[in-house]
Structures are given as structure tokens and as C-alpha cells.
Amino acid sequence: MASSSPASPCAYIKRYDVFPSFNGPDVRKGLLSHLHDHFLRKEIKMYKDDKMERCNTIKHELVKAIRESRVLMVLLSKNYASSIWCLDELVEILKCRKDKEQIVMPIFYDVDPFHVRTQSGDFGSAFEKTCENQTEEVKQRWVEALKCVTTIAGEHSCNWPDEAAMVQKLCTDVLYKLRVEAIKDEFRKYDVDKNGFITVAELRRYVLIKDGEESTDKKARSIIRVADVDGDGQLNCDEFVELMTLRMTSEELYTDQVKAEMMKEGFRECDVDQNGYITAPELKYALTKDGKEITDKQVRKIIRVADVNGDGQLNCDEFFKFMNLMMDAKRRTDERAATIEKITTYVSTKKDKFSHMHGKISFILKKKRKTIYECLTE
């Protein structure tokens, strides 16, 4: 029987939010302790190796921790390259970045990125000492890793006159990156066929139902169009991240944009001949196709309400005005219905007191009930 292959790094469950790679004497009592404090208060889980005994080779436990972390933070300091342990961690970190696209955040702490990239200055002296008795293959692996890490966008302590402000910025960046990673996890979850896109059907079935929202193809299409940059009618991962980030940043703006897209969808449905205008017959067809009853007179009155330029038909902007009136009328109708229900319930509980008025009150309340279209045309 064939032996099973070992689990790949991508199969690891993410147990930690942040894995820090660092030289202890340089940063443990300063920068790292401040990061621990901020992360703890923000409930960001950082891997800690305080009780681990350092040796000449990176331990399996550390490799596992790197693969089980969402953000890999490399604290590059003057003596970082004096540690075989740190250099091997960096190689593994960059491997995870390449193979699994794990996030890498380099922080250049009191060290020039140029010296890291070229292994020069005090950083280079420490590196050359570490390379003594190492094979050329090992040295080149470290050299490539040091060159690579300097190409990744990160923070430089010399750009921050206040270390506390830098730590706060790092905390904010980590929180944002973790949020994006959580959204990407959601994307992978709802991308059922694993083709790298979320379709209307997938969004309707899994996302809208999950959030307890009204689930229709029309709404799903409208939500997709809010972030569909390439206009292919589906969401790739980056577009999905933008959509969810917008929703978390401003629920009101997200709702307004979805509403606007739904209105555009409604306009396209009503504009049967697709000439950019909705005539009275087209509007009547759209309003009655699902069984509702409305007269030609009511349709003409509705158009007159929204027909700004007086040409007897609705363009896109005028249609939006009509839709807003419809929603406002529905809100007023719902509020009136709720008031009627409240009064009716109260009168019913006081039958003895209002027995002589009960029938008359019920008649008056029923007479006050109006449809949305009646509210528009009154």
C-alpha cells in the first residue's frame, strides 16, 4: 500500500495571528515587549518562544508555528544576522510566503535596509561571522532570503521619531491584514466550485442566506456589481475583499451602493426595448407581471410624478426618483399599518369601554388602509 504524503504547509490550521522572528538581545525588552502589550489588548494572538532553548538549528516546533501563523513579522535588527536560528527562520518564512502566500511584514529596527540587502556595514560583519564553517549552499540560501525580504513593503524605525506611534501603526496594520485574511477565508468557503470566483448563485445561496438577508438573484447581482471591477458578473478574491471591507467600514455606504445597483437592475428590467427610457406600457408591464393590478390612469400618474423633463417617459435618473417615492410610500404604508394594528389591538382589549364605538372605529381604520400606488397618486 502506498504511504500517505505528509501534510503540506497550506494544510496547517492557523493557531496564531502573528509569528515574530527576531534577535532577542536587540528587541525582546523593547520593541517586542511593546508589541506584545498592544497585541494582547487588541486580542491579537502572538506566538511566544520565551521558554524555548536556542540551538544551532531551527526546531520543528518553530517551523510548525510559522506555518500555523497568519502574519509573519520579521524584526530585522543590527544583530539579526548573527543568529543561525534567525536566518533559518527567515528562509522558512519566505518559503511560506511563496508557497502559501502567507503575509510577511518586515520591520527594519535601527538597521539600514541597504545593509540588509547587501550584507554590508555592521549587519554584514555579523552575517559573515555567522557564515563561518557553513557551506556555500547554506550561505547563498541566506543571502537570497535577506535580499528578498528587503523587497517587501515594511516599516523603518528611522522614519518614526516616536517608537510608540510606530508600534500603534504596526498594530493597526496587523489588525487590517488579519481582517483581510478572514475575508479571504470566507471567500474560499463560499467559492464552492473552487474556481477562484463567486457567482450570483454562490452569493445568493451561501452569503445572503448566511446573513439572514432576502435572497434573490436580483439582489445578488446588485451586490456583485458594487465591487465587480472587471465587469464579468462575478467576484474574484480581491473584489470580494473590497466589497466586504466596504461593508465593514461603512454599512450605510454599502447599503446605498447596493440599493443604487438594484435600482439600475430594476430600470433594465422595465426598459423592455433597451432604448434608455421607460414608457407607460413598459412600466405597466413591469408592475403587473407578478400579478399586481394597476390601471393605465395610475401608471400615467406615477410617470407624471417622476417625469422631470415632461417627455412622458422615464429616463434612468427619473426612474430612481420613482423608486425612491415607491420605497418612501411603502415605509409610510407600513408605519400606518403598524399604527392601525396597535390601535385595533388596544380597542379589542377594551371592548367593554368602547363597545358602542368598536364597530365604527374598525370601519374608520379599514377605510384608512391604502396601497403604495394610492399613496403615490393621492
Side-chain angles (χ1 to χ4, degrees):
M1 182 176 66
S3 59
S4 59
S5 59
S8 64
C10 63
Y12 281 76
I13 296 172
K14 298 297 184 284
R15 293 196 296 149
Y16 307 102
D17 294 322
V18 178
F19 177 93
S21 177
F22 60 93
N23 177 274
D26 284 352
V27 301
R28 191 186 292 278
K29 292 183 179 180
L31 177 62
L32 189 66
S33 65
H34 296 314
L35 287 172
H36 272 302
D37 180 58
H38 274 70
F39 288 169
L40 185 63
R41 283 188 273 127
K42 296 293 184 179
E43 297 184 349
I44 298 172
K45 188 176 182 182
M46 179 187 276
Y47 176 79
K48 297 184 71 172
D49 69 344
D50 293 350
K51 297 180 180 180
M52 185 176 294
E53 181 182 352
R54 294 272 168 169
C55 58
N56 287 332
T57 58
I58 183 172
K59 290 190 175 182
H60 172 72
E61 181 182 341
L62 275 182
V63 173
K64 189 169 181 287
I66 290 171
R67 295 174 180 179
E68 292 178 345
S69 300
R70 295 184 180 278
V71 177
L72 307 174
M73 184 176 285
V74 185
L75 306 177
L76 293 150
S77 56
K78 290 178 180 179
N79 295 300
Y80 184 89
S82 66
S83 167
I84 293 175
W85 187 297
C86 288
L87 293 170
D88 283 344
E89 279 182 354
L90 181 61
V91 170
E92 179 62 31
I93 284 170
L94 294 174
K95 183 177 183 298
C96 287
R97 178 177 183 260
K98 179 181 178 181
D99 294 346
K100 186 51 183 171
E101 299 182 352
Q102 282 175 260
I103 299 170
V104 175
M105 288 181 65
I107 294 99
F108 299 93
Y109 187 69
D110 289 338
V111 66
D112 192 325
F114 175 79
H115 291 158
V116 176
R117 182 168 61 255
T118 59
Q119 299 88 57
S120 56
D122 291 340
F123 187 91
S125 298
F127 178 72
E128 287 300 326
K129 187 174 181 179
T130 306
C131 289
E132 293 175 0
N133 302 320
Q134 300 294 326
T135 66
E136 187 62 25
E137 181 183 356
V138 170
K139 180 180 178 179
Q140 285 306 308
R141 186 161 61 241
W142 291 341
V143 167
E144 291 303 316
L146 291 169
K147 287 180 180 178
C148 179
V149 76
T150 61
T151 66
I152 304 170
E155 292 292 343
H156 194 330
S157 62
C158 74
N159 295 330
W160 293 86
D162 184 351
E163 186 170 300
M166 183 182 75
V167 170
Q168 182 62 50
K169 170 65 162 47
L170 289 172
C171 187
T172 301
D173 287 348
V174 168
L175 282 172
Y176 174 76
K177 291 178 187 299
L178 290 174
R179 182 172 66 181
V180 170
E181 283 303 295
I183 295 173
K184 288 182 178 179
D185 286 344
E186 286 289 293
F187 178 86
R188 287 186 283 269
K189 182 177 179 181
Y190 299 122
D191 178 20
V192 181
D193 56 11
K194 306 304 178 188
N195 69 341
F197 297 95
I198 292 180
T199 63
V200 169
E202 288 170 332
L203 184 66
R204 177 182 176 184
R205 181 177 177 185
Y206 293 95
V207 180
L208 298 183
I209 293 176
K210 169 182 173 290
D211 291 344
E213 299 180 16
E214 180 185 355
S215 180
T216 64
D217 284 344
K218 179 179 178 181
K219 184 162 188 176
R221 284 194 299 270
S222 299
I223 292 174
I224 284 178
R225 277 197 296 270
V226 170
D228 185 15
V229 177
D230 56 17
D232 62 354
Q234 53 191 358
L235 296 178
N236 60 35
C237 190
D238 290 339
E239 291 169 338
F240 185 75
V241 169
E242 286 296 320
L243 178 69
M244 293 297 104
T245 300
L246 170 65
R247 185 172 186 177
M248 288 185 287
T249 303
S250 175
E251 181 71 31
E252 183 178 355
L253 180 59
Y254 166 82
T255 301
D256 288 346
Q257 291 194 18
V258 172
K259 187 187 298 182
E261 291 297 336
M262 289 187 71
M263 287 185 179
K264 291 177 184 177
E265 175 84 6
F267 182 84
R268 284 187 286 268
E269 289 179 357
C270 295
D271 182 18
V272 179
D273 57 10
Q274 301 297 300
N275 69 341
Y277 295 93
I278 298 173
T279 62
E282 287 175 326
L283 183 59
K284 182 175 181 180
Y285 169 76
L287 294 177
T288 58
K289 66 180 181 179
D290 57 356
K292 292 186 177 68
E293 293 185 3
I294 187 170
T295 65
D296 291 339
K297 181 179 179 181
Q298 287 175 313
V299 170
R300 288 194 297 271
K301 285 185 177 180
I302 289 171
I303 286 183
R304 278 200 298 272
V305 170
D307 182 17
V308 177
N309 59 16
D311 63 355
Q313 55 190 359
L314 301 181
N315 60 32
C316 193
D317 291 337
E318 291 169 338
F319 179 78
F320 286 179
K321 179 182 177 182
F322 159 68
M323 292 297 295
N324 283 324
L325 286 169
M326 286 279 285
M327 288 186 285
D328 185 55
K330 184 178 186 304
R331 177 185 56 77
R332 295 202 312 270
T333 302
D334 291 343
E335 289 174 355
R336 182 181 290 111
T339 301
I340 291 171
E341 185 66 28
K342 185 176 180 180
I343 295 173
T344 303
T345 301
Y346 177 77
V347 171
S348 297
T349 60
K350 305 290 184 179
K351 282 185 178 180
D352 292 341
K353 188 174 181 179
F354 296 106
S355 58
H356 63 291
M357 299 173 59
H358 186 271
K360 187 175 182 181
I361 291 174
S362 297
F363 175 77
I364 292 172
L365 292 176
K366 289 178 181 177
K367 288 287 287 183
K368 289 293 182 182
R369 294 179 184 270
K370 293 185 178 181
T371 67
I372 296 174
Y373 305 116
E374 287 172 331
C375 288
L376 277 173
T377 57
E378 63 184 358

